[in-house]
């Protein structure tokens, strides 16, 4: 009744608006129920919507990305395959390429789904095109970069992204006959997505329907299946599984405490090749590697532990699940590191080779010696690149010269093994110094002819190499050497020789990837070898020039007992020189000098200065005046060099040599008088007869070429047996010794030498004590022991101012010649003295003195206080005088004038034996 009354009195009618509102309210109240079923339904609805949206977006993005990458791979593979296909080269070079290639290109375009397949020649003229009307026209895309290999590019236009791959069609000789271009427009994403969206939306609708229908059963069954677990417990369980599954990556394998598999994802099944019924089975029964099975079953912790599974290297991380809220057991993540390790190995190899190239730059070329540089190259390659390495150079290169054409070719010049290195000393290869004549077909000959490295991966099959020397080849193969690379040693367009790398026994044979590295290593070392060759040539030329400019021996003289030592610099010949110059009156000049700088220019400048000193010495100038004229000469030389343009000097490899040092000494054996002056040179040392050593207090003076300052002279009187020690700065200075310490060391070495030692012995002792094994500067050492003429070798007369005294002096000289046993020189000597004394009385100034000196020759000297020198002239037939000096010049071997502080001396020199037919020759 109550129910009927309610309808009658104002209840809602069935199917009316009130009933619909009641239904909607009931649904909302049902959805608001905090039940697992309601929550599952809501989350299912949201998840399906989000997944549909995300899947649609991801599908579009991935389709675009995959289509582009797929287009790149497809076009590249198709272009390369078509370029290398049989008949392609013959069709391109045939009479009608379009007829042969257009059907093939269209068939491939249609069957492969490409937008175009274009084949064109090296000039860019099309042989095929989807539009036949464009065949024979020029392609519009750039293709020049494809001459060296296939090139893939992606371009964008109004029609979308277009992927194009162009591959060259190469002839056997390496030239390009044409190109194959394959292109596809990566604009098929929309169609792909359009085909997949209905399926995606249908699946989403089905999921919603199933979810809605199943939600009714969830509440009832969930309680029973979860054993009374509520939402909180379900949430905790979900979070536990989510933490485990998302904390690990790659393959996931969950093993229970009893060693049975609880869960294995698809990646774990793939990597371990697990059977479909793996869950619930013991790990040790799954056929895994024993080590891996033991690790998974034991549950012990492991981090990136590598195990082998078939042909894969797996990195396994194993952790216990107990700390994360689970029961006894472990979860293992598995990652395939096979490719990663292969890439890491390649990267390590590349890094090691870069390090080897860097080390080669530091270790090769430390010296400028050709053989040493070649040995450094052989040493740096072993064992990091090869087990053995040999370097062969042309004979001319070893001498420092450029190799001649035809070096190493059949019938041409041979190459010589200059260096060798290896992991053992019992290598069966040709020894260092052996000559090698590359025959046709051998690796050395191929490298020299082509200019590129030649690879022999298997020496057992290298018949030409074995035929050159069968016995040596058999010995090499028996030793275990199995492959080689022979690379040409080229620098600045010159082929200097070859470098051969060998591998033996367990080492992997050389491959194509090793050839490029060998060429790079040898190319870097070739510059060092060529630098050493050029230095050797220049050093040899400079040393030859320098030695040719130095005195070849000591002149004969009796004033000094002389010994010398000369040592050129190890690197860069310098400009040191010395000289012993006989002067009139049995005097001797000693010269030691040093030109600033090294090389050919310094040696040439030294030759100029030495010649100038010899010429100035012939004028019998005092030391200070000689150095002043030499200073002017050096200044003019420097100004002349400075007048040359900088570009010219750089092109000639020369620099202006500004300055030089010089020490000039004159010793008179008649009086023991010694006069010396120096221009910036180290002072000479004196070794007295009692063994004491001292340096002469001689004003230094400016170096030659500085100019503007005078030179000062020091005069000494030396006792017989006193040793004069002259040297260049290379003897007393060096990398580890300054000038002060060097002078002290020279002082000690001279003091240690006995006073009665000969100059030769003293020279040797000083050289042993001070000269380093490899001097950085030239060293010149000159030791002269003084001697005096005996009193009976000198005769002197004063001439009064009276012409009648001429006959008395002449008679006295005749008696002296008779006492010396030189009667045959009496007539000529009287004639010479008569003329010289008469000239002195007529034109000179008192005091006038006559002196006769006898030693290796006879010297007549007439001195006076006048500075006016006589002049030799040819008298006319009508002249009454003017023939005296002419007769003196004819009678004497030499004659001349020298100036003194108080006048001049006119001298003449005659041999001790009168020449036969002397007077007949004069007539």
């Amino acid at each position: 009744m109550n129910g009927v009354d309610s309808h009658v009195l104002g209840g809602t009618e069935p199917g009316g608006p009130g009933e619909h509102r009641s239904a909607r309210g009931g649904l909302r109240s049902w959805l608001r129920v905090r039940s697992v079923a309601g929550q599952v339904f809501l989350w299912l609805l949201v998840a399906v919507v989000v997944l549909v949206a995300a899947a649609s977006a991801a599908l579009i993005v991935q389709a675009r990305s995959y289509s582009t990458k797929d287009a790149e791979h497809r076009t590249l593979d198709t272009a390369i395959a078509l370029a290398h296909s049989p008949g392609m080269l013959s069709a391109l070079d045939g009479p009608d390429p379009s007829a042969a290639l257009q059907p093939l290109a269209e068939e491939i375009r249609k069957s492969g789904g490409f937008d175009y397949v274009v084949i064109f020649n090296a000039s860019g003229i099309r042989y095929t095109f989807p539009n036949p009307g464009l065949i024979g026209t020029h392609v519009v895309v750039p293709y020049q970069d494809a001459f060296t290999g296939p090139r893939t590019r992606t371009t964008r236009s109004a029609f979308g992204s277009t992927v194009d791959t162009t591959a060259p069609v190469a002839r056997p000789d390496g030239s390009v006959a044409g190109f194959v271009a394959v292109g596809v427009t990566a604009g098929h994403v929309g169609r792909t997505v359009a085909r997949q969206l209905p399926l995606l939306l249908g699946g989403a609708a089905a999921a919603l329907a199933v979810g809605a229908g199943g939600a009714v059963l969830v509440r009832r069954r969930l309680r029973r299946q979860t054993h009374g677990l509520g939402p909180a417990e379900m949430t905790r369980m979900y979070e536990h599984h989510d933490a485990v599954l998302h904390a690990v990556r790659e393959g996931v394998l969950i093993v229970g405490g009893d060693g049975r598999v609880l869960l294995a994802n698809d990646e774990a099944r793939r990597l371990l090749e697990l059977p479909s019924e793996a869950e619930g089975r013991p790990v040790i029964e799954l056929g895994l590697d024993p080590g891996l099975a033991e690790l998974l079953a034991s549950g012990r912790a492991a981090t990136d532990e590598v195990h082998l599974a078939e042909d894969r290297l797996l990195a396994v991380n194993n952790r216990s699940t107990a700390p994360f809220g689970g029961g006894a057991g472990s979860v293992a993540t598995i990652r395939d590191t096979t490719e990663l390790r292969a890439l890491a190995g390649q990267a390590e190899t590349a890094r090691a080779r870069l390090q080897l190239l860097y080390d080669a730059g530091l270790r090769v070329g430390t010296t400028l010696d050709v053989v040493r540089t070649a040995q450094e190259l052989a040493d740096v390659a072993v064992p990091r690149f090869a087990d053995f390495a040999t370097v062969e150079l042309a004979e001319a290169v070893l001498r420092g010269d450029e190799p001649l054409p035809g070096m190493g070719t059949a019938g041409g010049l041979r190459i010589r093994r200059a260096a060798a290195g290896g992991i053992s000393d019992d290598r069966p290869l040709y020894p260092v110094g052996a000559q090698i004549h590359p025959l046709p077909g051998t690796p050395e000959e191929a490298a020299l002819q082509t200019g590129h490295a030649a690879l022999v991966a298997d020496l057992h099959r290298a018949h030409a190499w074995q035929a050159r020397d069968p016995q040596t080849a058999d010995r090499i193969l028996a030793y275990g050497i199995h492959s080689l690379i022979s690379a040409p040693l080229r620098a600045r367009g010159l082929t200097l020789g070859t470098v051969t790398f060998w591998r033996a026994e367990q080492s992997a044979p050389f491959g194509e990837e090793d050839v490029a590295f060998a060429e790079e290593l040898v190319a870097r070392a070739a510059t060092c070898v060529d630098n050493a060759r050029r230095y050797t040539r220049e050093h040899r030329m400079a040393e030859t020039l320098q030695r040719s400019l130095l005195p070849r021996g000591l002149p004969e003289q009796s004033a000094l007992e002389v010994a010398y030592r000369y040592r050129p610099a190890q690197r860069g010949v310098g400009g040191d020189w010395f000289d012993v110059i006989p002067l009139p009156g049995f005097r001797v000049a000693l010269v030691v000098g040093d030109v600033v700088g090294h090389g050919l220019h310094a040696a040439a400048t030294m030759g100029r200065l030495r010649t100038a000193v010899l010429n100035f010495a012939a004028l019998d100038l005092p030391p200070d005046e000689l150095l002043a004229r030499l200073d002017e000469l050096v200044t003019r030389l420097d100004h002349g060099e400075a007048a040359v343009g900088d570009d010219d000097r750089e092109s000639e490899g020369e620099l202006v040599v500004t300055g030089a040092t010089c020490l000039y000494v004159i010793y008179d054996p008649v009086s023991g008088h010694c006069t010396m002056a120096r221009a910036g040179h180290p002072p000479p040392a004196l070794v007295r007869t009692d063994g004491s050593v001292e340096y002469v207090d001689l004003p230094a003076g400016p170096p030659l070429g500085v100019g503007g300052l005078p030179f000062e002279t020091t005069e000494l009187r030396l006792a017989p047996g006193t040793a004069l020690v002259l040297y260049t700065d290379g003897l007393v200075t060096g990398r580890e010794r300054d000038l002060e310490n060097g002078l002290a060391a020279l002082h000690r070495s001279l003091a240690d030498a006995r006073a009665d030692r000969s100059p030769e012995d003293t020279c040797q002792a000083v050289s042993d004590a001070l000269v380093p094994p490899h001097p950085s500067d030239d060293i010149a050492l000159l030791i002269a022991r003084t001697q005096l003429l005996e009193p009976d070798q000198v005769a002197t007369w004063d001439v009064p101012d009276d012409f009648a005294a001429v006959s008395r002096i002449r008679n006295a000289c005749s008696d002296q010649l008779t006492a010396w046993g030189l009667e045959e020189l009496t007539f000529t000597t009287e004639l010479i003295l008569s003329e010289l004394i008469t000239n002195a009385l007529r034109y000179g100034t008192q005091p006038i003195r006559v002196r006769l000196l006898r030693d290796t020759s006879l010297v007549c000297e007439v001195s006076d206080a006048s500075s006016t020198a006589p002049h030799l002239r040819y008298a006319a037939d009508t002249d009454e005088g003017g023939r005296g000096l002419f007769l003196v010049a004819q009678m004497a071997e030499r004659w001349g004038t020298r100036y003194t502080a108080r006048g001049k001396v006119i001298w003449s020199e005659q041999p001790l034996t009168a020449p036969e037919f002397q007077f007949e020759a004069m007539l």
Side-chain angles (χ1 to χ4, degrees):
M1 264 320 270
N2 292 337
V4 174
D5 293 339
S6 63
H7 284 286
V8 174
L9 293 176
T12 58
E13 295 179 359
E19 184 177 350
H20 290 293
R21 286 194 300 268
S22 177
R24 288 195 299 270
L27 179 61
R28 286 195 298 268
S29 63
W30 179 74
L31 291 175
R32 284 196 300 267
V33 175
R34 298 176 57 87
S35 64
V36 174
Q39 294 178 10
V40 169
F41 181 80
L42 290 177
W43 280 111
L44 179 62
L45 178 62
V46 173
V48 169
V49 173
V50 170
L51 286 176
V52 169
S56 300
L59 182 62
I60 295 173
V61 173
Q62 290 179 358
R64 290 178 178 175
S65 174
Y66 290 160
S67 62
T68 301
K69 292 185 179 296
D70 180 63
E72 291 177 354
H73 291 298
R74 288 173 57 212
T75 57
L76 177 63
D77 294 341
T78 303
I80 293 176
L82 190 56
H84 292 83
S85 63
M88 176 59 66
L89 182 60
S90 59
L92 285 173
D93 291 336
D96 190 357
S98 296
L101 297 177
Q102 174 70 5
L104 175 63
E106 286 302 297
E107 180 183 354
I108 293 175
R109 181 181 69 84
K110 295 176 180 179
S111 60
F114 301 109
D115 291 308
Y116 60 85
V117 175
V118 181
I119 302 174
F120 54 95
N121 61 15
S123 300
I125 302 303
R126 297 185 179 100
Y127 289 150
T128 68
F129 198 76
N131 184 0
L134 294 179
I135 294 177
T137 60
H138 198 281
V139 295
V140 296
V141 296
Y143 64 93
Q144 287 77 8
D145 56 346
F147 274 91
T148 58
R151 293 293 183 271
T152 300
R153 61 177 61 84
T154 301
T155 58
R156 299 188 178 277
S157 63
F159 302 97
S161 298
T162 300
V163 179
D164 174 274
T165 296
T166 303
V169 180
R171 297 187 179 95
D173 60 354
S175 62
V176 176
F179 298 90
V180 176
V182 179
V184 61
T185 301
H188 305 292
V189 178
R191 293 192 295 271
T192 303
V193 174
R195 290 194 301 267
Q196 296 180 1
L197 280 178
L199 180 61
L200 180 64
L201 295 177
L208 286 175
V210 172
V216 179
L217 303 176
V218 168
R219 183 175 183 180
R220 189 184 313 168
R221 294 188 177 185
L222 191 59
R223 288 282 184 179
R224 184 174 66 253
Q225 292 178 354
T226 58
H227 304 285
L229 292 177
E233 291 81 4
M234 289 291 296
T235 301
R236 184 175 62 82
M237 180 177 293
Y238 173 81
E239 291 174 351
H240 171 73
H241 286 282
D242 185 72
V244 173
L245 292 177
H246 292 82
V248 295
R249 301 178 64 182
E250 298 88 20
V252 178
L253 189 71
I254 301 178
V255 180
D258 57 355
R260 296 178 179 273
V261 177
L262 299 180
L263 174 65
N265 65 356
D266 293 340
E267 185 68 9
R269 294 177 181 275
R270 185 185 69 83
L271 294 176
L272 300 178
E273 297 184 357
L274 298 177
S276 56
E277 66 281 1
E279 283 83 353
R281 295 179 56 184
V283 174
I284 58 176
E285 297 180 1
L286 297 179
L288 303 178
D289 176 75
L292 176 59
E294 185 275 332
L295 170 65
L296 298 176
S298 64
R300 63 180 175 85
T303 302
D304 287 337
E305 191 171 303
V306 179
H307 290 271
L308 183 65
E310 296 297 334
D311 57 347
R312 297 189 183 95
L313 289 176
L314 304 180
V316 180
N317 291 274
N318 200 38
R319 294 291 184 273
S320 174
T321 57
F324 301 99
S330 61
V331 57
T333 59
I334 306 166
R335 185 173 68 255
D336 188 355
T337 62
T338 305
E339 294 183 0
L340 180 61
R341 287 184 176 270
L343 293 175
Q346 295 175 4
E348 180 63 23
T349 301
R351 187 202 64 79
R353 292 191 172 180
L354 286 176
Q355 184 64 38
L356 178 56
L357 291 176
Y358 174 78
D359 294 342
L362 297 178
R363 294 173 54 186
V364 179
T366 59
T367 66
L368 289 174
D369 181 79
V370 174
V371 175
R372 177 59 186 165
T373 303
Q375 186 61 50
E376 290 171 345
L377 171 57
D379 292 340
V380 79
V382 177
R384 296 161 66 180
F385 180 64
D387 296 321
F388 300 96
T390 58
V391 182
E392 298 79 31
L393 299 175
E395 295 281 359
V397 174
L398 294 172
R399 297 191 303 268
D401 299 327
E402 292 186 358
L404 298 175
M407 185 270 294
T409 59
L413 299 177
R414 295 189 178 186
I415 54 179
R416 184 179 297 275
R417 181 151 293 170
I423 57 177
S424 62
D425 296 332
D426 61 339
R427 49 184 175 268
L429 308 173
Y430 288 129
V432 173
Q435 285 188 336
I436 300 176
H437 196 168
L439 298 178
T442 59
E444 296 88 350
E445 191 269 344
L448 293 171
Q449 287 294 321
T450 64
H452 298 285
L455 167 66
V456 180
D458 187 358
L459 288 176
H460 293 275
R461 300 181 180 180
H463 302 295
W465 172 78
Q466 298 181 35
R468 180 177 61 189
D469 189 347
Q471 293 182 350
T472 303
D474 292 341
R475 188 168 63 252
I476 291 174
L477 295 175
Y479 187 86
I481 296 177
H482 50 70
S483 65
L484 68 83
I485 293 177
S486 185
L489 198 66
R490 291 178 54 84
R492 299 181 179 91
L494 299 175
T495 301
L496 310 177
T498 59
V499 181
T500 305
F501 303 102
W502 314 74
R503 284 186 180 176
E505 296 179 349
Q506 302 301 322
S507 300
F510 284 115
E512 293 293 341
E513 67 278 3
D514 299 313
V515 174
F517 175 78
E519 289 182 337
E520 177 68 18
L521 176 62
V522 173
R524 295 195 179 194
T527 302
C528 298
V529 174
D530 189 56
N531 288 340
R533 176 195 66 81
R534 297 173 66 188
Y535 171 79
T536 301
R537 180 188 61 186
E538 295 179 3
H539 183 76
R540 190 182 73 250
M541 293 172 58
E543 187 173 352
T544 301
L545 174 62
Q546 184 186 43
R547 291 192 178 277
S548 67
L549 296 174
L550 289 173
R552 297 180 180 273
L554 298 178
E556 292 185 5
Q557 47 82 32
S558 57
L560 298 168
E561 183 184 356
V562 182
Y564 70 92
R565 290 290 185 275
Y566 183 82
R567 183 75 176 273
Q570 182 74 13
R571 294 184 180 180
V573 174
D576 293 14
W577 90 93
F578 66 93
D579 240 323
V580 179
I581 307 171
L583 298 177
F586 303 117
R587 293 170 304 129
V588 176
L590 302 176
V591 188
V592 173
D594 185 3
V595 176
V596 175
H598 290 83
L600 285 173
H601 192 63
T605 304
M606 177 269 289
R608 292 179 178 179
L609 297 184
R610 178 171 179 257
T611 302
V613 171
L614 291 173
N615 291 331
F616 293 151
L619 299 176
D620 216 342
L621 300 175
D624 56 342
E625 187 174 345
L626 183 142
L627 290 181
R629 295 196 180 188
L630 199 62
D631 178 63
E632 293 177 1
L633 174 64
V634 173
T635 302
R636 288 198 302 271
L637 289 177
D638 285 343
H639 289 169
E641 294 288 351
V644 180
D646 293 339
D647 295 339
D648 294 338
R649 289 201 301 272
E650 291 179 1
S651 64
E652 296 174 2
E654 298 179 355
L655 297 174
V656 176
V657 176
T658 303
T661 64
C662 183
L663 172 63
Y664 189 76
V665 180
I666 297 178
Y667 175 70
D668 187 352
V670 177
S671 61
H673 192 75
C674 183
T675 306
M676 61 184 69
R678 63 177 175 140
H681 203 82
L686 291 179
V687 182
R688 304 288 183 179
T689 55
D690 59 357
S692 62
V693 181
E694 63 177 292
Y695 289 104
V696 180
D697 186 12
L698 178 62
L704 300 175
V706 176
L709 296 175
F711 299 96
E712 300 183 37
T713 300
T714 296
E715 298 183 359
L716 303 172
R717 189 174 296 276
L718 303 179
T722 303
L724 268 168
V725 182
L726 287 70
Y727 53 90
T728 57
D729 60 355
L731 182 68
V732 293
T733 60
R735 296 188 182 95
E736 301 177 356
R737 184 169 56 199
D738 57 18
L739 179 60
E740 182 178 355
N741 293 332
L743 292 176
L746 176 60
H747 188 282
R748 288 192 301 270
S749 64
L750 292 173
D752 293 341
R754 298 193 309 271
D756 58 347
R757 275 189 175 184
S758 66
E760 182 67 28
D761 294 338
T762 305
C763 257
Q764 187 62 44
V766 172
S767 178
D768 294 341
L770 298 181
V771 177
H774 304 288
S776 59
D777 194 7
D778 290 2
I779 296 174
L781 173 65
L782 190 65
I783 299 180
R785 178 179 291 174
T786 62
Q787 300 180 114
L788 287 177
L789 295 181
E790 297 296 333
D792 60 354
Q793 295 179 274
V794 182
T796 306
W797 298 274
D798 290 329
V799 181
D801 190 9
D802 183 5
F803 284 96
V806 175
S807 61
R808 295 195 303 270
I809 299 299
R810 188 171 57 238
N811 293 333
C813 291
S814 177
D815 294 339
Q816 184 64 55
L817 292 176
T818 302
W820 285 342
L822 302 176
E823 294 87 349
E824 60 181 355
L825 299 179
T826 301
F827 178 78
T828 57
T829 304
E830 288 180 351
L831 181 60
I832 291 172
L833 287 175
S834 296
E835 294 297 333
L836 295 181
I837 296 173
T838 301
N839 282 339
L841 289 171
R842 181 173 298 173
Y843 304 108
T845 306
Q846 289 289 340
I848 300 174
R849 177 170 293 179
V850 175
R851 187 170 70 169
L852 290 182
L853 304 175
R854 177 186 62 83
D855 191 40
T856 56
S857 61
L858 178 65
V859 175
C860 303
E861 296 180 346
V862 177
S863 62
D864 66 84
S866 172
S867 60
T868 303
H871 178 65
L872 177 64
R873 67 184 181 87
Y874 294 94
D877 295 339
T878 58
D879 291 344
E880 295 182 1
R883 297 176 178 83
L885 287 180
F886 179 78
L887 291 175
V888 172
Q890 294 298 316
M891 295 291 183
E893 186 177 47
R894 294 189 303 160
W895 78 281
T897 303
R898 73 173 182 270
Y899 294 94
T900 64
R902 298 177 181 177
K904 67 177 181 298
V905 176
I906 303 175
W907 57 272
S908 68
E909 184 176 344
Q910 306 172 72
L912 296 181
T913 303
E916 191 175 2
F917 308 115
Q918 179 181 17
F919 298 104
E920 290 82 349
M922 292 175 58
L923 296 175

